[in-house]
Amino acid sequence: MFLRHRGIGLGIGAVAVALSLAACGASSGTSADAGKPTGEAAKKAVAQGGADFTTAAEKTAAMGTDAKPGEWPRTITHAMGTTEIKAQPKRVVVLDVGELDNVVSLGVQPVGYAPTEGSPELPSYLKQDAGTPENIGTINSLNLEAIAGLRPDLILGSQLRAADQYDELSKIAPTVFSIRPGFTWKENYLLNAAALDKTEEAKAKLADYDRAVKDLDGKLGDDKPVVSMVRFMPDGRIRLYAKASFIGTILDDAGIPRPDNQNIPDLAAEVSAENIDQADADVIFTGVYGDPKATDKAAVQGNPLWQNLKAVKAGHAYDVPDETWYLGLGVTAAMEVVADLDRYLTR
């Protein structure tokens, strides 16, 4: 059973109380479907290379609700089963940047938010409209006591991030999980909107995005530059982002071609500094996850291998905001990326 705890007090006992009253809640639902993997097994199934990775968008598109606009209670089918939401949510907790972007774009200021470890601040592009949500840990280390203390009436997250904590979360409040963040961002948006009874608003925002990306496609014409996406990660890792990523879907929608090694149905390919020549293209966009000093960005870009890349020699290698291009995972970030692409590629 799911709970909508409006009367649980703050403090050390908040989580204990929330997790002990599962049979008493006003909102009901099922945990995982029979036979469906849970916990770490569920995370691995939808991670890069997992059994359910490539089908995540299609499966998410089939989720949602049959409830009519304004109809409550409503039952949401999602990655972990079904959840009944009794009334219009007013205190929403989001467990990742994608869910934050989604709810803020729909006029909802969440009461709690879990940032990424590499970017602990509220994303600058959402600050104006997001309000002041409380920190509830990070995407990989949720603080359940803090979540319960906020008395949420809806929790939005994903199976990939928090499958192992779904049962505990769903005893705090009705919880709706997408399968994974990333290339499923449009499907996730509609799933989150269904839980908030804001489907029409979400469809309108996606229509705005479609118009913007088609306009960019038209401006670029038939002779589009080949674009390479390079992201510097901690511990020396370098990723070349591919089709099954947030940025990959946007480039696909705009008809922008990619190098062969990025034109693959995967999140990314990893290269080393020694073979950074594999990142070459007509245009290179680079992002950095977390502190640039914790990456090899400076060393790589100071190396002759980087300096000899076609895009670099032509002055067509650009640093772009990681918080929108790679971490945004929602329609607001997508619109920012399209505007950036327009600025850089239609000069």
Side-chain angles (χ1 to χ4, degrees):
M1 303 285 285
F2 299 95
L3 288 179
R4 293 174 62 235
H5 288 292
R6 291 187 176 277
I8 294 178
L10 306 180
I12 299 297
V15 170
V17 174
L19 302 184
S20 68
L21 297 178
C24 307
S27 180
S28 63
T30 63
S31 182
D33 289 343
K36 183 179 290 186
T38 57
E40 289 302 318
K43 286 186 177 184
K44 290 179 181 178
V46 297
Q48 183 181 8
D52 296 329
F53 175 75
T54 58
T55 59
E58 177 185 354
K59 288 181 178 178
T60 307
M63 299 172 185
T65 185
D66 293 330
K68 298 176 182 178
E71 182 181 344
W72 302 97
R74 61 181 48 211
T75 297
I76 309 295
T77 302
H78 58 97
M80 302 299 289
T82 60
T83 294
E84 184 181 65
I85 305 172
K86 292 293 187 181
Q88 179 74 58
K90 298 184 182 301
R91 298 183 60 80
V92 180
V93 163
V94 292
L95 306 184
D96 203 343
V97 188
E99 287 81 41
L100 176 68
D101 190 317
N102 290 346
V103 303
V104 171
S105 78
L106 296 172
V108 175
Q109 293 185 340
V111 296
Y113 162 57
T116 68
E117 284 79 4
S119 185
E121 302 298 324
L122 194 68
S124 62
Y125 75 100
L126 294 173
K127 276 186 178 179
Q128 181 176 342
D129 300 315
T132 55
E134 294 286 336
N135 183 288
I136 53 166
T138 65
I139 60 171
N140 295 311
S141 184
L142 298 175
N143 184 333
L144 295 181
E145 182 179 346
I147 294 172
L150 289 172
R151 298 174 289 111
D153 48 23
L154 178 65
I155 298 171
L156 297 173
S158 72
Q159 179 180 328
L160 177 64
R161 299 293 194 212
D164 52 343
Q165 293 177 295
Y166 173 77
D167 288 339
E168 294 168 291
L169 289 165
S170 65
K171 291 168 185 175
I172 295 172
T175 300
V176 172
F177 273 10
S178 63
I179 294 175
R180 59 165 295 117
F183 69 96
T184 56
W185 66 275
K186 298 174 193 175
E187 294 81 7
N188 294 353
Y189 189 32
L190 293 174
L191 178 63
N192 289 174
L196 293 165
D197 189 24
K198 292 182 178 289
T199 297
E200 292 309 311
E201 293 95 321
K203 288 181 177 179
K205 293 280 187 179
L206 288 175
D208 290 341
Y209 163 80
D210 286 340
R211 282 190 288 270
V213 82
K214 287 177 182 175
D215 181 60
L216 175 61
D217 187 353
K219 284 183 180 180
L220 294 174
D222 295 330
D223 189 23
K224 295 181 176 69
V226 176
V227 166
S228 180
M229 297 303 311
V230 181
R231 193 185 193 199
F232 294 96
M233 307 291 290
D235 304 322
R237 290 178 295 137
I238 305 169
R239 283 181 173 176
L240 307 181
Y241 273 72
K243 293 172 70 70
S245 65
F246 172 67
I247 184 60
T249 64
I250 297 173
L251 294 172
D252 271 358
D253 288 344
I256 295 173
R258 315 293 303 287
D260 289 343
N261 61 6
Q262 295 172 42
N263 197 31
I264 56 175
D266 209 339
L267 172 70
E270 290 199 359
V271 298
S272 66
E274 291 73 27
N275 56 13
I276 195 63
D277 58 309
Q278 295 181 26
D280 207 5
D282 297 320
V283 179
I284 297 175
F285 292 112
T286 62
V288 178
Y289 179 64
D291 182 358
K293 294 179 181 178
T295 75
D296 287 345
K297 180 176 187 279
V300 170
Q301 294 190 337
N303 190 296
L305 285 175
W306 177 269
Q307 296 296 327
N308 285 328
L309 296 180
K310 176 174 59 176
V312 176
K313 289 195 293 185
H316 295 156
Y318 308 105
D319 291 334
V320 293
D322 201 75
E323 68 173 8
T324 48
W325 283 62
Y326 293 99
L327 290 178
L329 308 180
V331 71
T332 315
M335 291 293 279
E336 295 273 340
V337 171
V338 172
D340 286 344
L341 286 167
D342 193 324
R343 185 171 72 256
Y344 285 118
L345 300 182
T346 62
R347 289 176 171 180

